Amino acid sequence: LKLNSDGAFSKERKDGGSGFVIRDDQGRVIKAGAGGEGFLLDTFHTELLGCVVGLQEAARMGIAHLHIETDATLIKAALESDEHRLSAVGGIITEMKLLLATEFIPSSNISVCNRICNGVAHTLASHGCNFPSGHMATWEGVPHEIEVAVTSDLAGMNE
């Protein structure tokens, strides 16, 4: 299975949303989620929240092998080094590393994709911006208003 995640950040309000989507090998959505967050530091913070919530959900579902895909190169770098260990978001990164080490088999990996390939997660993160801070919703599949993004992604897979 594959996890895509993303974050949306408002610099003016210091809030935003995060989103994730878990898909099977045919691109079908197994689980999706979106949430609103307040008191955010920056875009990297929202990107991390989308990824950690997606990892937590995959672990709850009992998924052992997971490919993680993000459009944020900083997430990949943070998970592969200790550079951000003492930063303000170091706790989130530590939690992600712990989840990866204890809940998923070692062959699970992370890759960086083009933003175009992360459209569903991006749409979910934008959707999460409409939620109150601290509110998270998950779906078996995706909400109706996100279906267009899924259809576009699936059409792109067949080209």
Side-chain angles (χ1 to χ4, degrees), residues 18-20 32-37 49-50 53-54 131-139:
S18 60
F20 74 87
E37 296 293 336
L49 290 173
V53 171
F131 293 178
S133 180
H135 179 79
M136 182 75 187
T138 59
W139 302 272

Side-chain angles (χ1 to χ4, degrees), residues 14 24 49 67 87 117 128 147 157:
K14 299 288 188 197
D24 67 12
L49 290 173
H67 176 77
S87 73
C117 300
E147 287 177 356
M157 286 177 63

